[in-house]
Amino acid sequence: MEPIRNKILDCKRIVIKIGTSSLMLADGSVNYQTFDRLAYVLTVLRNQGKEIVLVSSGAIGVGLNRLNLPHRPKTIPEQQAVASVGQSELMNLYTRFFSHYNQIVGQILMTLDIVQFPESRRNAVNAFEQLLKMGIIPIVNENDAVSVEELDHLTKFGDNDRLSATVAEIISADLLIMLSDVPGFYDKNPMAYPDAVLFHTIHAVTAKEMALAGGNGSKFGTGGMATKLKAAKRILKNKQQMVLTQATDPTVLFDILAGKEIGTYFVREDK
Ligand SMILES: Nc1ncnc2c1ncn2[C@@H]1O[C@H](COP(=O)(O)OP(=O)(O)O)[C@@H](O)[C@H]1O
Ligand SMILES: N[C@@H](CCC(=O)OP(=O)(O)O)C(=O)O
């Protein structure tokens, strides 16, 4: 009998983060199946009374596809333009697929400074609370078209792993589920080492765990495992919990919320 993760069973407010590598196919085209299945699963969870927030990467990936560009441009303004086009197309895709299940979605684009200033942070939280109260699923991304790494005014989160942990913190989510292109966190990169061993549960992220995080797995990934571990560290510090697994079949979310031992579960021992 596999262990049940009891602390997950009562989770009501859930942030789900999905990475680019799960939304795009290897040839750079859009993975429509994932968009459709994700829309279905999140709508079912919403109809069950869960409060769902989706943090979605993909602006760059979808933008490259829409503009028929073979790879990420080199200059920042070109990257901003690709993200601007891609974000518009990304929301178009989500709106269409969620509408198949009669679920309304909203868009919240964030920059780091929003959460760093108390008033703008409060305003952002108010927007989330109102959308959730209305039964709407907020879809969040970094506002890549304008958030540039500037020395004197830090607007960029840099990756959606960090953004998703921040959103989970400011809305006091019960659980963050990170969907990537790997089944979880391993003792070495499973894409490079077939004998890599999955960690089922992690109670603390230390230098030891950080040392096991190699580079990105996919040509689309921005964050890599290191940013996921940093996000997990923040989640644990805030006494929250996180599950990391792969997005191959978004119905995995049903099993995760049923407490099944899926992926890697980050939870404090004293939670
Ligand atoms: N110890 C590890 N365990 C699991 N994945 C790892 C590890 N070290 C490096 N990786 C790599 O991290 C990648 C996930 O990060 P990333 O490519 O950015 O995906 P995403 O687009 O979902 O953020 C995996 O594809 C894998 O190749
Ligand atoms: N805001 C960027 C996502 C950056 C990011 O963290 O991407 P990923 O590592 O695929 O989750 C975009 O939408 O392309």
Side-chain angles (χ1 to χ4, degrees):
M1 179 70 177
E2 66 180 27
I4 287 289
R5 294 166 175 170
N6 291 307
K7 292 171 186 168
I8 287 182
L9 298 178
D10 298 332
C11 289
K12 176 179 169 69
R13 181 168 286 193
I14 302 150
V15 177
I16 291 104
K17 183 265 176 177
I18 188 162
T20 311
S21 55
S22 305
L23 295 169
M24 309 301 295
L25 296 172
D27 66 359
S29 60
V30 172
N31 188 338
Y32 293 105
Q33 183 177 341
T34 298
F35 277 92
D36 179 55
R37 302 309 292 155
L38 193 62
Y40 163 71
V41 171
L42 299 190
T43 301
V44 167
L45 293 174
R46 176 51 232 117
N47 292 340
Q48 289 174 351
K50 303 288 186 184
E51 293 178 327
I52 300 292
V53 174
L54 174 63
V55 177
S56 177
S57 303
I60 294 282
V62 172
L64 291 172
N65 177 257
R66 189 75 181 83
L67 294 166
N68 203 23
L69 296 174
H71 47 73
R72 192 187 187 101
K74 296 265 186 290
T75 70
I76 298 287
E78 287 173 314
Q79 290 174 19
Q80 291 174 280
V82 169
S84 176
V85 169
Q87 183 62 36
S88 171
E89 184 60 20
L90 188 68
M91 284 309 297
N92 180 22
L93 287 165
Y94 277 123
T95 303
R96 277 164 40 204
F97 280 105
F98 274 99
S99 67
H100 292 168
Y101 304 101
N102 199 29
Q103 173 62 50
I104 298 172
V105 296
Q107 174 181 259
I108 294 187
L109 296 180
M110 295 187 71
T111 53
L112 181 59
D113 53 337
I114 285 173
V115 294
Q116 290 186 327
F117 293 95
E119 191 170 344
S120 53
R121 179 190 178 115
R122 250 193 321 276
N123 291 334
V125 171
N126 290 343
F128 278 109
E129 294 293 350
Q130 185 59 41
L131 286 164
L132 292 173
K133 194 160 71 173
M134 294 165 71
I136 293 167
I137 295 180
I139 299 178
V140 188
N141 197 358
E142 174 146 35
N143 193 354
D144 295 302
V146 293
S147 68
V148 179
E149 198 65 64
E150 295 160 306
L151 295 181
D152 59 343
H153 184 63
L154 290 180
T155 59
K156 196 153 187 64
F157 282 97
D159 63 81
N160 277 0
D161 298 327
R162 180 182 182 189
L163 173 56
S164 61
T166 304
V167 170
E169 179 182 346
I170 67 172
I171 67 169
S172 306
D174 301 312
L175 177 65
L176 168 59
I177 300 175
M178 233 179 239
L179 297 176
S180 185
D181 59 355
V182 281
F185 172 49
Y186 289 72
D187 61 352
K188 48 196 169 187
N189 188 343
M191 299 291 203
Y193 300 95
D195 63 336
V197 177
L198 175 71
F199 293 111
H200 291 290
T201 305
I202 296 276
H203 293 305
V205 176
T206 68
K208 176 169 160 282
E209 284 74 25
M210 291 304 297
L212 303 177
N216 289 352
S218 70
K219 65 180 179 180
F220 297 113
T222 299
M225 190 47 63
T227 51
K228 290 171 183 30
L229 293 178
K230 286 176 187 168
K233 191 177 176 82
R234 180 177 189 150
I235 287 285
L236 295 174
K237 177 171 171 284
N238 293 329
K239 297 189 178 180
Q240 293 176 293
Q241 46 187 353
M242 173 178 135
V243 172
L244 166 65
T245 194
Q246 65 191 136
T248 313
D249 177 3
T251 61
V252 72
L253 291 169
F254 295 137
D255 289 339
I256 291 170
L257 294 174
K260 291 188 179 175
E261 193 176 55
I262 308 271
T264 302
Y265 180 35
F266 296 84
V267 62
R268 287 166 68 121
E269 279 187 304
D270 59 355
K271 181 177 181 323

